[in-house]
Amino acid sequence: MDEQTSIHRRKLLEFFSASPLLAPSAARALAGIAAFGTTEAVAQSYDVLRAAPVMNGDLIASPAQALNVFDFEPVAKKELPPAHYGYLASGVDADKTLKANRDDFDKIHVRARRLIDVRKIDTTVKIFGETWASPIALAPVSSVGAFHPEAEAAAARACKVKGHQMILSTVGSTSIEDVIKERGAPVWYMLYPTDDWAVTEKLVKRAEAAGAPAIVLTVDRQGGRNTETLFRERRSDTRTCTDCHTPGFKNEVSRKPMFDDIDVSKVTNLYGTGMTWDYVKRLRGIVKGKLVLKGIMTQEDAKIALTHGVDALIVSNHGGRAEESLQSTIGALPEVVGAVNGKIPVLIDGGFRRGTDVLKALALGATAVCVGRPYVWGLAAFGQPGVEMVLTLMQREFETIMRQVGATKLSEITSKSVRIV
C-alpha cells in the first residue's frame, strides 16, 4: 500500500470514528485501525486495550475500571458519610502542606535511559531481615472501620494477595492478632504512646507477643492540629455524631480493640504530649524488636535518633495533617537520608499516588514508601478488591518507570535516575 492510499484510508476511518452515530467503543477501535502503517500504531493499540470495560457515568463501578488510584477517591466520597470523608481528606489549616506533599513530586524529573534489557525486573527489598515483594507498604491509618466494616482485615487480605507489608495503627479498628492472621504474616505496629507509661508497656508487649517485628512510635502529633476540611465537611453531616463519639478518652478508645482489658483511667491524651528524647530512650529499653520513629523531618532529629538506638525512620508529616509547615516529605527526604548516611533504613509516606512517586523517593535514598489515603479510597469504594487494585496500579506503574530508567532491581535506582529542578 503506497503512502497516498494510506493517507486516504486513514482520513476515511477518522471521519467515521468522529461520527456521533458510531458507538464510542467502535470509534476507539477505528482510531487504532487508522493508525496502522503509521508511527501511532503501537500507542493506539495499547489505548484500545485499556479502554475496556465501558463505563456508564463519571464514577467507576468496579475496581477493574480504574485507570489510576485517583479514580477511587470520588467513589469513596460518594459512599462515605460527609464527616468520615472529611476526616480522611483533611489536612490542617488551609491544607497547603497536604498539597505540597503532592506538588513537590513535580520538582523531581525522571531521567530515562535507553537500550537496556529490562524484560525481567526484581522489586524485592529486604528490611530487618524480611524480604518484601515490593517497596510499597500500607501506612497506618486510624479508625479504618469508619470507611468499611471489614476495616484493616480486608486491607490485610489484600496485602496477602498482592505481597505487600502493612503497619497497623494503635487506634485501628482491628486487633493486631486478627490483622496478622488475615495477612498470614507479621505486620508492623504503630504506637500512639498515650501519657500513661503503664498503657504504653501493655500495648508494646501485646504487639510483640502477637509477632510484630517493629514498633513504630509516632512523634509528630504533640502540638495539636486544626483540621478545617474535616470541620467543614462535618457541617453537612446530618447524623448525630455523639451516637458513636462521646467525650473522654475511655469512650474514645472503647471501640479500639488494642485497648481491650487495659486500664485507661489515667490517660488524658493519646499522643504522649510532653514526650522528649528521654521517652525514646525509655521505650528503647522495653522494645525487644526493632524501634522505628515515624514523623522525622529534619537532619537534626535524624542524627539524634541514631544516638538513641533507633533502627529505622519514617519521614512523615502525617499525610499533611501534622502541621502547616509547607514542608513536603519528599522535600525533606534528602536531608534525613544524608544524616543517617546508610546506617539505618529510611522509609517515607505522604502524598504517594503514582509509581513514579515511588521511584523518585527510592532515587533520593528511601528504602520503601508507605501509602495511606489511596488504599482507604479503594477500601471505602469496593472493600478488599479495591485495596488490591490500588496496590496493583501503583506496582504496575512503578515497574513501568523502573524499566524506563533502565533499572532491573531496586539497587539500580540511584540519584542518577532523577534530576531535581
Side-chain angles (χ1 to χ4, degrees), residues 303-321:
K303 290 177 180 178
I304 297 173
L306 286 178
T307 68
H308 284 72
V310 170
D311 297 296
L313 301 176
I314 301 180
V315 176
S316 176
N317 55 23
H318 224 87
R321 56 202 292 153

Side-chain angles (χ1 to χ4, degrees), residues 55 185 257 287 290 321 371 408:
M55 283 177 55
V287 171
K290 303 299 183 180
R321 56 202 292 153
V371 178
T408 61

Side-chain angles (χ1 to χ4, degrees), residues 116-124 359 398-399 401-413:
I116 299 172
D117 187 349
V118 289
R119 288 173 294 179
K120 294 182 179 180
I121 62 172
D122 179 4
T123 67
T124 60
L359 182 129
F398 175 57
E399 292 177 6
I401 197 62
M402 273 187 68
R403 291 186 172 95
Q404 291 293 346
V405 301
T408 61
K409 53 187 177 181
L410 300 194
S411 62
E412 293 173 355
I413 301 172

Side-chain angles (χ1 to χ4, degrees), residues 354-403:
R354 290 283 192 180
T356 50
D357 302 338
V358 178
L359 182 129
K360 291 172 183 180
L362 268 56
L364 296 181
T367 307
V369 307
C370 302
V371 178
R373 286 183 177 92
Y375 100 76
V376 180
W377 295 339
L379 180 69
F382 301 107
Q384 178 184 339
V387 181
E388 289 183 24
M389 183 53 69
V390 165
L391 291 170
T392 295
L393 290 167
M394 291 199 69
Q395 181 70 14
R396 180 188 300 160
E397 291 177 358
F398 175 57
E399 292 177 6
T400 298
I401 197 62
M402 273 187 68
R403 291 186 172 95

Side-chain angles (χ1 to χ4, degrees), residues 12-36:
L12 177 63
L13 288 168
E14 288 172 348
F15 168 80
F16 282 124
S17 67
S19 170
L21 300 178
L22 199 62
S25 57
R28 287 191 292 268
L30 282 173
I33 296 171
F36 277 95

Side-chain angles (χ1 to χ4, degrees), residues 64-236:
Q65 291 179 326
L67 298 180
N68 55 54
V69 303
F70 297 100
D71 283 342
F72 291 95
E73 184 179 13
V75 182
K77 184 176 183 179
K78 176 177 176 290
E79 294 294 327
L80 293 173
H84 289 195
Y85 174 77
Y87 173 78
L88 179 61
S90 187
V92 293
D93 294 353
D95 290 353
K96 290 184 178 180
T97 305
L98 185 151
K99 185 173 184 294
N101 277 348
R102 284 297 308 146
D103 291 348
D104 283 3
F105 283 110
D106 290 341
K107 299 175 182 177
I108 306 166
H109 292 183
V110 173
R111 300 182 69 244
R113 298 293 306 277
R114 309 301 185 203
L115 299 175
I116 299 172
D117 187 349
V118 289
R119 288 173 294 179
K120 294 182 179 180
I121 62 172
D122 179 4
T123 67
T124 60
V125 60
K126 182 171 286 189
I127 302 179
F128 298 155
E130 179 188 8
T131 299
W132 299 3
S134 168
I136 303 170
L138 296 193
V141 178
S142 300
S143 306
V144 177
F147 312 116
H148 191 275
E150 294 185 349
E152 293 90 352
R157 290 194 297 271
C159 284
K160 180 179 181 179
V161 171
K162 306 306 296 184
H164 295 259
Q165 180 56 280
M166 69 180 290
I167 307 175
L168 176 68
S169 171
T170 295
V171 285
S173 303
T174 312
S175 71
I176 191 165
E177 294 87 357
D178 287 343
V179 168
I180 289 175
K181 178 182 177 181
E182 295 293 346
R183 182 174 178 260
V187 301
W188 291 15
Y189 179 69
M190 185 277 279
L191 175 68
Y192 279 135
T194 81
D195 57 352
D196 183 343
W197 181 253
V199 173
T200 299
E201 283 189 302
K202 289 182 178 180
L203 290 170
V204 169
K205 288 179 179 179
R206 178 175 176 180
E208 292 192 326
I215 301 297
V216 182
L217 176 65
T218 291
V219 298
D220 58 16
R221 282 299 320 279
Q222 295 192 75
R225 62 184 182 184
N226 175 34
T227 50
E228 287 185 10
T229 296
L230 165 60
F231 302 149
R232 189 172 295 108
E233 290 288 334
R234 189 188 295 167
R235 290 172 175 171
S236 61

